[in-house]
Amino acid sequence: MYIVGIDGGGTSTVGILTTETGQCLAQVQSGPSNYHVVGEAKTQAVLKSIIGKLCEAAGISPMNPIRFCLGMAGLGRAEDQKIVGQICDELGISKNQRILTHDAHIALVGGIEKQHGVIVISGTGAIVYGINANGEEARASGWGYLLGDEGSGYDIAIKGLRAVARAADGRSKTTELTNRILDKIERNEPSELIRWTHAASREAIAQLAKVIFDTAQTTDAVATEIVDEAANELVCAAESVIKQLEFTEPFDIVLSGGNLIHQPMFSDKLRHRLARIQPKASVLLPKHKPAYGAVLLAQANL
């Protein structure tokens, strides 16, 4: 028996093939497989390609017994499960061969190597997800960039851009963000932000979050306030999830997503705030990548 764990998102898809005991035999990466972004046909093509490349790299036949776990954005919803289930059927992955779940679930399991706990994710978007020992699930945030995703890279970047606009008008205090953001996007005047922002993708805007983090390190008051507010929003979402799940024993909280993994200042802010509201919880960075979390979930259900 082999296991294939897949982490499918709107930017890229990662697949891992392991033995039944979890020994990694192959890992490949391909393009996006979120059908909301690329369509069902492309999702099917990416999954087929990844499975084929994994088997080829590991030197095994796709006809071997393989257990699959797919963790993909949106798969917590029944309608999405139905559509991805149909894609799996067409690929020859039967119901008794597969587990379909969402990306936050596999990130949590990979992050803490356990079936229960809480994950706080801040990347382009943001979400907090948790599951307790009884298998009860809860989530907060993750409403998308129009309705929420507070504490995400996009949210932080937009607040930085707004701060530049306000400073340019004299509606709020000046900030080093003005020069740093204009330098980053190679523009000369704040007024040029209007055209740039409307033309930029969400991902391109979210990448400006690094400018806000770097500027906060210089003790710029405006940038520091934006970062503090983002940390508070993520902690608020985490507190909501923790209350919903009514943890009675010590548990783990894993901090995931590029902003928390690559910005120690930001993750430290969350660590200190979470320690105050949940002193019995252990706060850590991920032990494994989400695709390996899919493998661990498949193992647990063999």
Side-chain angles (χ1 to χ4, degrees), residues 138-244:
R139 67 179 66 209
S141 191
W143 287 84
Y145 76 105
L146 288 176
L147 293 178
D149 279 1
E150 295 89 350
S152 68
Y154 182 87
D155 176 59
I156 292 166
I158 281 291
K159 286 175 178 171
L161 289 165
R162 288 173 180 162
V164 172
R166 292 180 64 86
D169 285 345
R171 289 181 289 145
S172 63
K173 51 194 166 188
T174 59
T175 169
E176 184 60 26
L177 287 173
T178 299
N179 292 330
R180 288 175 175 246
I181 287 178
L182 290 176
D183 286 346
K184 178 67 176 178
I185 64 174
E186 299 179 339
R187 297 296 187 275
N188 297 315
E189 300 293 336
S191 60
E192 297 179 70
L193 291 177
I194 298 173
R195 178 173 291 184
W196 183 89
T197 304
H198 282 283
S201 67
R202 290 199 300 275
E203 289 74 18
I205 291 172
Q207 286 173 7
L208 291 179
K210 185 178 185 302
V211 178
I212 285 79
F213 287 124
D214 290 345
T215 308
Q217 301 269 32
T218 70
T219 68
D220 180 272
V222 174
T224 300
E225 184 178 341
I226 292 170
V227 174
D228 283 341
E229 184 179 349
N232 289 337
E233 288 285 3
L234 291 173
V235 171
C236 178
E239 191 170 15
S240 171
V241 167
I242 291 165
K243 284 181 178 178
Q244 290 178 64

Side-chain angles (χ1 to χ4, degrees), residues 239-261:
E239 191 170 15
S240 171
V241 167
I242 291 165
K243 284 181 178 178
Q244 290 178 64
L245 294 176
E246 299 179 334
F247 287 101
T248 56
E249 300 293 330
F251 62 96
D252 293 331
I253 303 173
V254 62
L255 307 180
S256 187
N259 297 319
L260 290 168
I261 292 174

Side-chain angles (χ1 to χ4, degrees), residues 34-45:
N34 182 339
Y35 81 88
H36 292 290
V37 177
V38 299
E40 295 175 34
K42 180 65 174 178
T43 295
Q44 182 170 328

Side-chain angles (χ1 to χ4, degrees), residues 30-185:
S30 188
S33 59
N34 182 339
Y35 81 88
H36 292 290
V37 177
V38 299
E40 295 175 34
K42 180 65 174 178
T43 295
Q44 182 170 328
V46 169
L47 293 177
K48 181 179 181 180
S49 172
I50 278 191
I51 293 166
K53 288 178 180 178
L54 284 172
C55 291
E56 182 181 358
I60 69 168
S61 167
M63 301 306 293
N64 276 284
I66 300 175
R67 180 78 167 174
F68 294 85
C69 179
L70 281 69
M72 305 176 75
L75 276 189
R77 296 184 289 266
E79 180 60 27
D80 289 330
Q81 289 235 355
K82 180 181 178 182
I83 290 171
V84 175
Q86 289 171 346
I87 291 172
C88 288
D89 290 341
E90 292 172 11
L91 292 173
I93 305 171
S94 64
K95 286 184 179 179
N96 60 4
Q97 276 183 278
R98 71 192 187 222
I99 298 170
L100 303 181
T101 189
H102 53 86
D103 48 353
H105 190 188
I106 62 170
L108 170 61
V109 174
I112 62 176
E113 295 182 329
K114 295 177 184 176
Q115 299 293 317
H116 58 274
V118 172
I119 186 165
V120 181
I121 302 175
S122 173
T124 299
I127 190 171
V128 178
Y129 167 78
I131 183 167
N132 63 20
N134 297 322
E136 297 167 323
E137 299 175 273
R139 67 179 66 209
S141 191
W143 287 84
Y145 76 105
L146 288 176
L147 293 178
D149 279 1
E150 295 89 350
S152 68
Y154 182 87
D155 176 59
I156 292 166
I158 281 291
K159 286 175 178 171
L161 289 165
R162 288 173 180 162
V164 172
R166 292 180 64 86
D169 285 345
R171 289 181 289 145
S172 63
K173 51 194 166 188
T174 59
T175 169
E176 184 60 26
L177 287 173
T178 299
N179 292 330
R180 288 175 175 246
I181 287 178
L182 290 176
D183 286 346
K184 178 67 176 178
I185 64 174

